[in-house]
Amino acid sequence: IAGFFRRKGDNKMKKKILDILKTNCRLSSEEISVMLGTTPDKVEETIKELENQGIIISYNALIDWENNGDEIVTAYIEVRVTPQRGQGFDKVAERIYQYPQVTTCSLMSGGFDLFVIVEGKTMKEVALFVAEKLAPIDAVLSCSTHFVLKKYKANGVIFSKKLKDDREAVVL
């Protein structure tokens, strides 16, 4: 019984660490340990365990390329496909996500099967990728491409916060 309660406590600790890392993965184990009231060694041990279990897969920075002066075109593509015998949608999805232009590929419910996010330098580059690489795949029945015009929020982060003007009006 003691092991059960210890595991349950460990699961709470893991969840808290995951929530913290999701918000800011650059925090040190010392900072996280202070937030959770534990030791840096326990935090490091837990993070290593989460990595080994494949729960933490990667650490990524969310970048506002537009704010950096870089032009990146993003397209959301709805893809209808024919599932492959014995492999369902997995084989088709694997073929699609192998392309470096594809940043996200997910199986969806609803009117389409796969949701694919593609990035490129220009709209033409993305359109050519869809026309020459994605649409010709045998199992692909149709593609519906939507270009992102402006990002307001991604992964829980607001991109362009409005600056509050605290200046007082001066009347002469």
Side-chain angles (χ1 to χ4, degrees), residues 80-131:
R80 287 187 51 235
V81 301
T82 302
Q84 302 300 291
R85 185 176 306 278
Q87 298 173 348
F89 296 99
D90 295 347
K91 191 71 171 174
V92 181
E94 182 178 356
R95 183 159 177 206
I96 292 170
Y97 70 63
Q98 295 297 327
Y99 288 105
Q101 298 92 329
V102 175
T103 62
T104 301
C105 182
S106 304
L107 181 64
M108 302 296 292
S109 64
F112 55 96
D113 304 304
L114 297 175
F115 180 71
V116 179
I117 299 177
V118 172
E119 290 184 350
K121 293 179 182 160
T122 65
M123 287 180 124
K124 184 175 182 176
E125 181 182 300
V126 172
L128 286 174
F129 169 78
V130 173

Side-chain angles (χ1 to χ4, degrees), residues 24-91:
N24 184 355
C25 65
R26 294 194 64 199
L27 292 174
S28 69
S29 54
E30 288 80 15
E31 292 169 314
I32 295 171
S33 69
V34 169
M35 295 167 78
L36 299 179
T38 188
T39 66
D41 288 341
K42 180 65 177 164
V43 169
E44 289 174 18
E45 175 187 319
T46 304
I47 290 173
K48 189 70 176 164
E49 184 181 334
L50 291 165
E51 291 169 343
N52 290 337
Q53 293 174 345
I55 295 170
I56 295 176
I57 299 170
S58 176
Y59 299 91
N60 295 309
L62 181 60
I63 300 168
D64 185 349
W65 291 108
E66 189 175 308
N67 198 25
N68 190 48
D70 294 329
E71 292 294 321
I72 300 289
V73 174
T74 304
Y76 298 155
I77 306 169
E78 301 168 346
V79 184
R80 287 187 51 235
V81 301
T82 302
Q84 302 300 291
R85 185 176 306 278
Q87 298 173 348
F89 296 99
D90 295 347
K91 191 71 171 174

Side-chain angles (χ1 to χ4, degrees), residues 3 6 8 24 37 54 117 149 156 166:
R6 186 170 53 254
K8 193 168 184 170
N24 184 355
I117 299 177
L149 303 177
D166 289 333

